[in-house]
Amino acid sequence: MDYRQYIAEKIPVDGVSAQEIAQLLSVPPDPAMGDYALPCFKFAKTMRKSPVAIAQEFAAAISPDDVIAEVTALNGYLNFKVNKAGLAKDVLARILSEGERYGSSDMGGGKVVCIDYSSVNIAKPFHIGHLSTTVIGGALYRIFNFLGYRAVGINHLGDYGTQFGKLIAAYKKWGDKERVQQGGIHAINELYVRFNNEADEAMEAEAREYFRLIESGDKEANELFDWFKSLTLAYVQTIYDRLHITFDSYAGERFYTDKMAPVVEELQEKHLLKESEGAQIVDLEPYGMPPALILRSDGASLYLTRDLAAAIYRHETYHFAKCLYVVAYQQNLHFKQLFKVLELMGRDWAKDMVHVAYGMVSLEDGAMSTRKGKVVWLEDVLSRCVEKARAVLEEKNPSLENKDDVAELVGVGAVAFGALCNNKIKDITFSYDRALNFDGETSVYLQYTCARASSVLAKAQAEGIACGVPDLTPCAAEAELLKQLAAFPKAVEQAAEKYEPSLISRCLLDTAKLFNKFYLECKIMQAEGDVRAFRLALTQATRTVLKNGLALLGIGVPEKM
Ligand code: ARG
């Protein structure tokens, strides 16, 4: 049963749908006030009455029934208490029967959502700066699929540009096949850094020539380029595997090489192109933006040009309902320009494109982040966190089996959660110790709570005690936990609506807190009969919610910890 919907249908307001009212229902901070509250301020204008009067009028009109136990008006709010026994049975039965589908829905109706995330650069380090785009994008991908959309994960590879000419020049001069094959991305990156430090004018000229050769389809130049690309992709795949990240397309910037000319033509036909110092631009001054550079004076395309072609290609190929770009806020202007140019081209679907911007992640641990000017590779952060997780586990639970496997789930999860637990636009400083705190607002805390639930359930199973959903009025701790469990589907929905996976993180942290309170206050295995069966059901439901939520975030759960 959907309590919000049920309550909403009892409140007829002209011109406001039950769905809108359901959206307005909030959960009061103090459970003593009620389980749901409706602020009546919104209706004051249409109903031409004060919120206080409206709340009183509604309260008088609604009579309690099987579902609604009590309705009261207070300071312009309408407070509802729902029938706890009914709520308990309903919520529990639903979670137990839906299991790993609990929280999912078909609200998406198969509509396509393209999500551009991670979008790594070939031959460049996969560094800490790519953490957020990768894990936030990956989470959104799973969340949209869970809600019945068809998500298309796109890794818009940075595989176009003069740097590849430089790389080939450097390889030709200093490279060694064996070494590059062995060292992979690290060896490639070294060559690139060396070029930037040491190249003279002659080498620069060579680099330009190699770039031209790649562009003109020269066999050797392209073979080298493809080799560098495959080494980079093999490397990033190892990180994607650890973070549980997948893609449906790796069409990167290069893929649009032959798809830009028609875009430029269209811009020309629509009189949107202007010449400026030899370059071709779209004037965006009327919209308070600097000009969008489409072609450089030497005719070369730009990042923006390729994004224009990519957007059009995606729309034609996938017929998306939404196209998301999970990219750092530093590129705000780029996406504003991109969307504006598409709009000027008459693509009305430009309104369906969203820049999902996020803040910066830096490391608290300065010692490691510098390494003399070098960037922090994400791989190193993962390994370090796993190592630390291993030490923490060793200390907490020396007899734990499979410590390495558990440490991997805990350590990698902690890094991912670092980028998933706060409002995404916030800049954050990652601290290993904070992220691995068992009692903090951490993924470890969630995993640990889950393992605690698992251990109770395993014990019950070993003793042949089943869980059940009897008719029973829950105590305060149980009721609060139940209400929180019931809120999970809404949190998933809102995470999708706001492109904010942290709403799921928040919901899970609240769930874990209330479970632990319940665990301390209510005996589970020492209880008897119906009460024990009910508490076991509550324990199982909690584990389901935590597991489902963590799975959406891409974080695994060990059976024991
Ligand atoms: N490779 C780019 C970078 O590292 C991000 C690409 C984002 N996606 C896009 N369609 N522009 O900055």
mmCIF file of all heavy atoms in Angstrom, residues 116-122 124 127 130 133 154-159 253 303-304 306-307 310-311 314 324-328 331 334-335 338 358, ligand 1:
data_model
loop_
_atom_site.group_PDB
_atom_site.id
_atom_site.type_symbol
_atom_site.label_atom_id
_atom_site.label_comp_id
_atom_site.label_asym_id
_atom_site.label_seq_id
_atom_site.Cartn_x
_atom_site.Cartn_y
_atom_site.Cartn_z
ATOM 1 N N ASP A 116 26.305 9.940 -20.093
ATOM 2 C CA ASP A 116 27.708 10.090 -20.500
ATOM 3 C C ASP A 116 28.504 10.231 -19.204
ATOM 4 O O ASP A 116 28.309 11.187 -18.452
ATOM 5 C CB ASP A 116 27.765 11.354 -21.379
ATOM 6 C CG ASP A 116 29.144 11.753 -21.867
ATOM 7 O OD1 ASP A 116 30.124 11.615 -21.100
ATOM 8 O OD2 ASP A 116 29.234 12.266 -22.997
ATOM 9 N N TYR A 117 29.308 9.235 -18.880
ATOM 10 C CA TYR A 117 30.070 9.307 -17.630
ATOM 11 C C TYR A 117 31.425 8.641 -17.769
ATOM 12 O O TYR A 117 31.658 7.879 -18.701
ATOM 13 C CB TYR A 117 29.289 8.698 -16.460
ATOM 14 C CG TYR A 117 28.838 7.273 -16.644
ATOM 15 C CD1 TYR A 117 29.481 6.222 -15.999
ATOM 16 C CD2 TYR A 117 27.752 6.977 -17.448
ATOM 17 C CE1 TYR A 117 29.053 4.910 -16.158
ATOM 18 C CE2 TYR A 117 27.315 5.667 -17.621
ATOM 19 C CZ TYR A 117 27.967 4.648 -16.971
ATOM 20 O OH TYR A 117 27.549 3.354 -17.142
ATOM 21 N N SER A 118 32.274 8.974 -16.842
ATOM 22 C CA SER A 118 33.664 8.516 -16.793
ATOM 23 C C SER A 118 34.469 9.123 -17.947
ATOM 24 O O SER A 118 35.410 9.852 -17.725
ATOM 25 C CB SER A 118 33.765 6.990 -16.786
ATOM 26 O OG SER A 118 35.033 6.626 -16.279
ATOM 27 N N SER A 119 34.076 8.822 -19.183
ATOM 28 C CA SER A 119 34.642 9.484 -20.362
ATOM 29 C C SER A 119 36.131 9.794 -20.213
ATOM 30 O O SER A 119 36.562 10.952 -20.224
ATOM 31 C CB SER A 119 33.848 10.762 -20.667
ATOM 32 O OG SER A 119 32.517 10.387 -20.967
ATOM 33 N N VAL A 120 36.889 8.738 -20.114
ATOM 34 C CA VAL A 120 38.325 8.868 -19.862
ATOM 35 C C VAL A 120 39.089 9.322 -21.096
ATOM 36 O O VAL A 120 38.620 9.207 -22.217
ATOM 37 C CB VAL A 120 38.955 7.533 -19.401
ATOM 38 C CG1 VAL A 120 38.573 7.225 -17.987
ATOM 39 C CG2 VAL A 120 38.613 6.404 -20.336
ATOM 40 N N ASN A 121 40.275 9.806 -20.840
ATOM 41 C CA ASN A 121 41.130 10.262 -21.921
ATOM 42 C C ASN A 121 42.186 9.212 -22.217
ATOM 43 O O ASN A 121 42.873 8.737 -21.315
ATOM 44 C CB ASN A 121 41.769 11.587 -21.533
ATOM 45 C CG ASN A 121 40.708 12.633 -21.256
ATOM 46 O OD1 ASN A 121 39.716 12.719 -21.982
ATOM 47 N ND2 ASN A 121 40.890 13.396 -20.199
ATOM 48 N N ILE A 122 42.297 8.851 -23.483
ATOM 49 C CA ILE A 122 43.257 7.827 -23.871
ATOM 50 C C ILE A 122 44.679 8.324 -23.614
ATOM 51 O O ILE A 122 44.998 9.482 -23.892
ATOM 52 C CB ILE A 122 43.083 7.483 -25.370
ATOM 53 C CG1 ILE A 122 41.680 6.920 -25.613
ATOM 54 C CG2 ILE A 122 44.158 6.523 -25.858
ATOM 55 C CD1 ILE A 122 41.336 5.685 -24.834
ATOM 56 N N LYS A 124 46.091 9.072 -20.992
ATOM 57 C CA LYS A 124 46.266 9.983 -19.842
ATOM 58 C C LYS A 124 45.913 9.221 -18.570
ATOM 59 O O LYS A 124 45.165 8.248 -18.614
ATOM 60 C CB LYS A 124 45.320 11.183 -19.988
ATOM 61 C CG LYS A 124 45.627 12.110 -21.155
ATOM 62 C CD LYS A 124 46.102 13.474 -20.647
ATOM 63 C CE LYS A 124 46.299 14.464 -21.773
ATOM 64 N NZ LYS A 124 45.055 15.168 -22.111
ATOM 65 N N HIS A 127 42.654 9.332 -13.050
ATOM 66 C CA HIS A 127 43.016 9.834 -11.718
ATOM 67 C C HIS A 127 41.819 10.099 -10.816
ATOM 68 O O HIS A 127 40.667 9.906 -11.215
ATOM 69 C CB HIS A 127 43.902 11.071 -11.853
ATOM 70 C CG HIS A 127 43.260 12.190 -12.614
ATOM 71 N ND1 HIS A 127 42.358 13.043 -12.049
ATOM 72 C CD2 HIS A 127 43.396 12.585 -13.911
ATOM 73 C CE1 HIS A 127 41.965 13.927 -12.950
ATOM 74 N NE2 HIS A 127 42.568 13.664 -14.092
ATOM 75 N N HIS A 130 38.530 11.510 -11.782
ATOM 76 C CA HIS A 130 37.532 10.740 -12.531
ATOM 77 C C HIS A 130 36.630 9.910 -11.623
ATOM 78 O O HIS A 130 35.725 9.239 -12.090
ATOM 79 C CB HIS A 130 38.213 9.794 -13.527
ATOM 80 C CG HIS A 130 38.970 10.508 -14.602
ATOM 81 N ND1 HIS A 130 40.342 10.480 -14.688
ATOM 82 C CD2 HIS A 130 38.557 11.296 -15.620
ATOM 83 C CE1 HIS A 130 40.734 11.213 -15.713
ATOM 84 N NE2 HIS A 130 39.672 11.720 -16.297
ATOM 85 N N THR A 133 32.674 11.236 -11.552
ATOM 86 C CA THR A 133 31.919 10.998 -12.784
ATOM 87 C C THR A 133 31.665 9.502 -12.954
ATOM 88 O O THR A 133 30.582 9.076 -13.349
ATOM 89 C CB THR A 133 32.629 11.589 -14.031
ATOM 90 O OG1 THR A 133 31.923 11.157 -15.197
ATOM 91 C CG2 THR A 133 34.080 11.164 -14.135
ATOM 92 N N ILE A 154 27.408 5.654 -21.732
ATOM 93 C CA ILE A 154 28.339 6.042 -22.794
ATOM 94 C C ILE A 154 29.653 6.556 -22.222
ATOM 95 O O ILE A 154 29.677 7.477 -21.402
ATOM 96 C CB ILE A 154 27.714 7.141 -23.687
ATOM 97 C CG1 ILE A 154 26.377 6.648 -24.256
ATOM 98 C CG2 ILE A 154 28.677 7.538 -24.807
ATOM 99 C CD1 ILE A 154 25.615 7.698 -25.034
ATOM 100 N N ASN A 155 30.721 5.944 -22.653
ATOM 101 C CA ASN A 155 32.052 6.412 -22.284
ATOM 102 C C ASN A 155 32.577 7.223 -23.475
ATOM 103 O O ASN A 155 33.058 6.671 -24.454
ATOM 104 C CB ASN A 155 32.949 5.204 -21.998
ATOM 105 C CG ASN A 155 34.170 5.566 -21.178
ATOM 106 O OD1 ASN A 155 34.676 6.692 -21.280
ATOM 107 N ND2 ASN A 155 34.653 4.634 -20.385
ATOM 108 N N HIS A 156 32.411 8.525 -23.381
ATOM 109 C CA HIS A 156 32.777 9.430 -24.476
ATOM 110 C C HIS A 156 34.294 9.636 -24.407
ATOM 111 O O HIS A 156 34.783 10.627 -23.856
ATOM 112 C CB HIS A 156 32.021 10.743 -24.270
ATOM 113 C CG HIS A 156 32.158 11.763 -25.363
ATOM 114 N ND1 HIS A 156 31.531 11.645 -26.577
ATOM 115 C CD2 HIS A 156 32.834 12.945 -25.413
ATOM 116 C CE1 HIS A 156 31.811 12.709 -27.319
ATOM 117 N NE2 HIS A 156 32.613 13.510 -26.639
ATOM 118 N N LEU A 157 35.001 8.682 -24.956
ATOM 119 C CA LEU A 157 36.464 8.665 -24.807
ATOM 120 C C LEU A 157 37.129 9.929 -25.352
ATOM 121 O O LEU A 157 36.766 10.420 -26.419
ATOM 122 C CB LEU A 157 37.040 7.463 -25.560
ATOM 123 C CG LEU A 157 36.585 6.083 -25.121
ATOM 124 C CD1 LEU A 157 37.188 5.023 -26.037
ATOM 125 C CD2 LEU A 157 36.954 5.831 -23.670
ATOM 126 N N GLY A 158 38.110 10.398 -24.601
ATOM 127 C CA GLY A 158 38.927 11.511 -25.090
ATOM 128 C C GLY A 158 40.039 10.912 -25.936
ATOM 129 O O GLY A 158 41.115 10.600 -25.446
ATOM 130 N N ASP A 159 39.724 10.674 -27.209
ATOM 131 C CA ASP A 159 40.687 9.970 -28.057
ATOM 132 C C ASP A 159 40.965 10.778 -29.320
ATOM 133 O O ASP A 159 41.196 10.226 -30.387
ATOM 134 C CB ASP A 159 40.165 8.569 -28.412
ATOM 135 C CG ASP A 159 38.775 8.621 -29.044
ATOM 136 O OD1 ASP A 159 38.259 9.737 -29.260
ATOM 137 O OD2 ASP A 159 38.213 7.547 -29.319
ATOM 138 N N GLU A 253 35.380 10.730 -28.854
ATOM 139 C CA GLU A 253 35.436 11.912 -29.718
ATOM 140 C C GLU A 253 35.816 11.565 -31.155
ATOM 141 O O GLU A 253 35.286 12.123 -32.106
ATOM 142 C CB GLU A 253 36.427 12.926 -29.131
ATOM 143 C CG GLU A 253 35.964 13.463 -27.783
ATOM 144 C CD GLU A 253 36.849 14.586 -27.268
ATOM 145 O OE1 GLU A 253 37.226 15.461 -28.073
ATOM 146 O OE2 GLU A 253 37.176 14.577 -26.067
ATOM 147 N N TYR A 303 36.507 20.449 -29.185
ATOM 148 C CA TYR A 303 35.762 19.617 -28.229
ATOM 149 C C TYR A 303 34.257 19.866 -28.379
ATOM 150 O O TYR A 303 33.457 18.936 -28.436
ATOM 151 C CB TYR A 303 36.276 20.017 -26.843
ATOM 152 C CG TYR A 303 35.681 19.333 -25.640
ATOM 153 C CD1 TYR A 303 35.634 17.949 -25.557
ATOM 154 C CD2 TYR A 303 35.209 20.088 -24.559
ATOM 155 C CE1 TYR A 303 35.113 17.325 -24.418
ATOM 156 C CE2 TYR A 303 34.702 19.484 -23.427
ATOM 157 C CZ TYR A 303 34.644 18.101 -23.349
ATOM 158 O OH TYR A 303 34.144 17.505 -22.218
ATOM 159 N N LEU A 304 33.896 21.135 -28.460
ATOM 160 C CA LEU A 304 32.476 21.498 -28.581
ATOM 161 C C LEU A 304 31.871 20.981 -29.883
ATOM 162 O O LEU A 304 30.729 20.516 -29.909
ATOM 163 C CB LEU A 304 32.328 23.019 -28.491
ATOM 164 C CG LEU A 304 30.904 23.553 -28.582
ATOM 165 C CD1 LEU A 304 30.101 23.160 -27.356
ATOM 166 C CD2 LEU A 304 30.899 25.074 -28.714
ATOM 167 N N ARG A 306 32.714 18.384 -31.550
ATOM 168 C CA ARG A 306 32.503 16.936 -31.433
ATOM 169 C C ARG A 306 31.316 16.634 -30.527
ATOM 170 O O ARG A 306 30.550 15.711 -30.776
ATOM 171 C CB ARG A 306 33.784 16.264 -30.937
ATOM 172 C CG ARG A 306 34.914 16.369 -31.973
ATOM 173 C CD ARG A 306 36.146 15.618 -31.582
ATOM 174 N NE ARG A 306 36.932 16.249 -30.532
ATOM 175 C CZ ARG A 306 37.772 17.283 -30.722
ATOM 176 N NH1 ARG A 306 37.937 17.807 -31.925
ATOM 177 N NH2 ARG A 306 38.457 17.778 -29.716
ATOM 178 N N ASP A 307 31.133 17.466 -29.495
ATOM 179 C CA ASP A 307 29.972 17.260 -28.628
ATOM 180 C C ASP A 307 28.660 17.572 -29.347
ATOM 181 O O ASP A 307 27.634 16.950 -29.060
ATOM 182 C CB ASP A 307 30.101 18.083 -27.338
ATOM 183 C CG ASP A 307 30.516 17.211 -26.154
ATOM 184 O OD1 ASP A 307 30.198 16.000 -26.184
ATOM 185 O OD2 ASP A 307 31.149 17.716 -25.214
ATOM 186 N N ALA A 310 28.046 14.590 -31.396
ATOM 187 C CA ALA A 310 27.696 13.461 -30.521
ATOM 188 C C ALA A 310 26.249 13.568 -30.045
ATOM 189 O O ALA A 310 25.513 12.582 -30.032
ATOM 190 C CB ALA A 310 28.642 13.418 -29.325
ATOM 191 N N ALA A 311 25.836 14.772 -29.663
ATOM 192 C CA ALA A 311 24.470 14.956 -29.163
ATOM 193 C C ALA A 311 23.465 14.584 -30.257
ATOM 194 O O ALA A 311 22.495 13.853 -30.013
ATOM 195 C CB ALA A 311 24.271 16.400 -28.719
ATOM 196 N N ARG A 314 23.468 10.859 -30.818
ATOM 197 C CA ARG A 314 22.762 10.147 -29.743
ATOM 198 C C ARG A 314 21.258 10.281 -29.907
ATOM 199 O O ARG A 314 20.507 9.337 -29.686
ATOM 200 C CB ARG A 314 23.173 10.703 -28.377
ATOM 201 C CG ARG A 314 24.555 10.248 -27.975
ATOM 202 C CD ARG A 314 25.023 10.906 -26.699
ATOM 203 N NE ARG A 314 26.468 10.750 -26.593
ATOM 204 C CZ ARG A 314 27.215 11.271 -25.639
ATOM 205 N NH1 ARG A 314 26.658 11.996 -24.699
ATOM 206 N NH2 ARG A 314 28.521 11.082 -25.635
ATOM 207 N N LEU A 324 22.083 12.736 -20.219
ATOM 208 C CA LEU A 324 22.805 13.313 -19.081
ATOM 209 C C LEU A 324 24.306 13.324 -19.345
ATOM 210 O O LEU A 324 24.845 12.401 -19.949
ATOM 211 C CB LEU A 324 22.549 12.502 -17.810
ATOM 212 C CG LEU A 324 21.116 12.064 -17.517
ATOM 213 C CD1 LEU A 324 21.071 11.316 -16.176
ATOM 214 C CD2 LEU A 324 20.197 13.265 -17.463
ATOM 215 N N TYR A 325 24.947 14.361 -18.857
ATOM 216 C CA TYR A 325 26.405 14.451 -18.909
ATOM 217 C C TYR A 325 26.902 14.583 -17.482
ATOM 218 O O TYR A 325 26.681 15.615 -16.853
ATOM 219 C CB TYR A 325 26.839 15.683 -19.699
ATOM 220 C CG TYR A 325 26.444 15.656 -21.152
ATOM 221 C CD1 TYR A 325 25.185 16.098 -21.554
ATOM 222 C CD2 TYR A 325 27.322 15.185 -22.120
ATOM 223 C CE1 TYR A 325 24.808 16.065 -22.884
ATOM 224 C CE2 TYR A 325 26.956 15.158 -23.465
ATOM 225 C CZ TYR A 325 25.710 15.588 -23.837
ATOM 226 O OH TYR A 325 25.329 15.561 -25.157
ATOM 227 N N VAL A 326 27.540 13.544 -16.991
ATOM 228 C CA VAL A 326 28.046 13.597 -15.625
ATOM 229 C C VAL A 326 29.488 14.096 -15.699
ATOM 230 O O VAL A 326 30.423 13.321 -15.922
ATOM 231 C CB VAL A 326 27.967 12.215 -14.943
ATOM 232 C CG1 VAL A 326 28.361 12.329 -13.471
ATOM 233 C CG2 VAL A 326 26.581 11.621 -15.091
ATOM 234 N N VAL A 327 29.630 15.389 -15.587
ATOM 235 C CA VAL A 327 30.927 16.033 -15.813
ATOM 236 C C VAL A 327 31.118 17.138 -14.766
ATOM 237 O O VAL A 327 30.156 17.800 -14.373
ATOM 238 C CB VAL A 327 30.992 16.640 -17.241
ATOM 239 C CG1 VAL A 327 32.359 17.245 -17.513
ATOM 240 C CG2 VAL A 327 30.662 15.601 -18.305
ATOM 241 N N ALA A 328 32.346 17.342 -14.334
ATOM 242 C CA ALA A 328 32.666 18.310 -13.278
ATOM 243 C C ALA A 328 32.138 19.715 -13.601
ATOM 244 O O ALA A 328 31.983 20.090 -14.757
ATOM 245 C CB ALA A 328 34.178 18.373 -13.070
ATOM 246 N N GLN A 331 33.156 22.434 -16.248
ATOM 247 C CA GLN A 331 32.700 22.496 -17.640
ATOM 248 C C GLN A 331 31.288 23.066 -17.772
ATOM 249 O O GLN A 331 30.630 22.878 -18.800
ATOM 250 C CB GLN A 331 32.803 21.098 -18.285
ATOM 251 C CG GLN A 331 34.251 20.649 -18.399
ATOM 252 C CD GLN A 331 34.434 19.424 -19.294
ATOM 253 O OE1 GLN A 331 33.666 19.193 -20.220
ATOM 254 N NE2 GLN A 331 35.471 18.641 -19.015
ATOM 255 N N HIS A 334 30.881 25.107 -20.950
ATOM 256 C CA HIS A 334 30.880 24.254 -22.140
ATOM 257 C C HIS A 334 29.481 23.690 -22.409
ATOM 258 O O HIS A 334 28.979 23.742 -23.534
ATOM 259 C CB HIS A 334 31.892 23.119 -21.962
ATOM 260 C CG HIS A 334 31.784 22.042 -23.001
ATOM 261 N ND1 HIS A 334 32.286 22.196 -24.276
ATOM 262 C CD2 HIS A 334 31.207 20.814 -22.971
ATOM 263 C CE1 HIS A 334 32.034 21.088 -24.971
ATOM 264 N NE2 HIS A 334 31.383 20.239 -24.204
ATOM 265 N N PHE A 335 28.847 23.156 -21.361
ATOM 266 C CA PHE A 335 27.540 22.538 -21.584
ATOM 267 C C PHE A 335 26.449 23.569 -21.807
ATOM 268 O O PHE A 335 25.528 23.341 -22.599
ATOM 269 C CB PHE A 335 27.210 21.560 -20.447
ATOM 270 C CG PHE A 335 28.031 20.308 -20.564
ATOM 271 C CD1 PHE A 335 29.121 20.080 -19.739
ATOM 272 C CD2 PHE A 335 27.774 19.380 -21.564
ATOM 273 C CE1 PHE A 335 29.916 18.951 -19.881
ATOM 274 C CE2 PHE A 335 28.555 18.248 -21.730
ATOM 275 C CZ PHE A 335 29.639 18.036 -20.886
ATOM 276 N N LEU A 338 26.890 24.317 -25.395
ATOM 277 C CA LEU A 338 26.442 23.186 -26.204
ATOM 278 C C LEU A 338 24.917 23.167 -26.321
ATOM 279 O O LEU A 338 24.362 23.076 -27.420
ATOM 280 C CB LEU A 338 26.947 21.886 -25.562
ATOM 281 C CG LEU A 338 26.447 20.569 -26.167
ATOM 282 C CD1 LEU A 338 26.953 20.395 -27.595
ATOM 283 C CD2 LEU A 338 26.896 19.376 -25.311
ATOM 284 N N TYR A 358 29.224 18.019 -10.766
ATOM 285 C CA TYR A 358 29.620 17.605 -9.421
ATOM 286 C C TYR A 358 30.873 18.361 -9.009
ATOM 287 O O TYR A 358 31.582 18.935 -9.848
ATOM 288 C CB TYR A 358 29.868 16.089 -9.370
ATOM 289 C CG TYR A 358 30.928 15.646 -10.348
ATOM 290 C CD1 TYR A 358 32.273 15.755 -10.036
ATOM 291 C CD2 TYR A 358 30.578 15.161 -11.599
ATOM 292 C CE1 TYR A 358 33.248 15.398 -10.944
ATOM 293 C CE2 TYR A 358 31.543 14.798 -12.520
ATOM 294 C CZ TYR A 358 32.868 14.913 -12.185
ATOM 295 O OH TYR A 358 33.828 14.579 -13.083
HETATM 296 N N1 ARG B 1 37.096 13.567 -21.506
HETATM 297 C C1 ARG B 1 36.554 14.749 -20.945
HETATM 298 C C2 ARG B 1 37.444 15.239 -19.800
HETATM 299 O O1 ARG B 1 38.184 14.472 -19.240
HETATM 300 C C3 ARG B 1 35.170 14.559 -20.422
HETATM 301 C C4 ARG B 1 34.157 14.277 -21.478
HETATM 302 C C5 ARG B 1 32.760 14.476 -20.977
HETATM 303 N N2 ARG B 1 31.762 14.171 -21.947
HETATM 304 C C6 ARG B 1 31.444 14.931 -22.975
HETATM 305 N N3 ARG B 1 30.550 14.499 -23.831
HETATM 306 N N4 ARG B 1 31.987 16.109 -23.162
HETATM 307 O O2 ARG B 1 37.345 16.397 -19.449
#
